[in-house]
């Protein structure tokens, strides 16, 4: 996985977790859902890079 993409994926996942937690604490379902979506986006980016790495080796 390239360093830049790995960093982006990790950042999206962390940001999503934080947003989801804040949404849950505040009782804001929309913010919580946005956090889950950001986590999913980060997971997808990481999965894409893992697949690329698999075919490179």
């Amino acid at each position: 996985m390239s360093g830049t993409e790995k960093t982006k994926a990790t950042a999206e996942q962390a940001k999503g977790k934080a947003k989801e937690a804040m949404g849950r604490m505040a009782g804001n379902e929309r913010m919580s859902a946005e956090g889950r979506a950001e986590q999913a986006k980060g997971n997808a980016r990481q999965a894409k890079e893992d697949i690329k790495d698999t075919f490179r080796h």
Side-chain angles (χ1 to χ4, degrees), residues 16-57:
K17 277 187 191 239
K19 189 180 261 188
E20 180 182 7
M22 291 297 291
R24 249 188 280 126
M25 286 192 307
N28 185 335
E29 181 56 37
R30 181 177 177 197
M31 182 185 281
S32 184
E34 287 174 1
R36 287 190 299 273
E38 285 185 33
Q39 286 181 65
K41 185 177 175 184
N43 291 340
R45 183 187 301 268
Q46 187 170 3
K48 178 186 81 169
E49 291 302 314
D50 287 345
I51 290 169
K52 286 171 41 178
D53 285 347
T54 299
F55 285 108
R56 283 187 197 143
H57 291 55

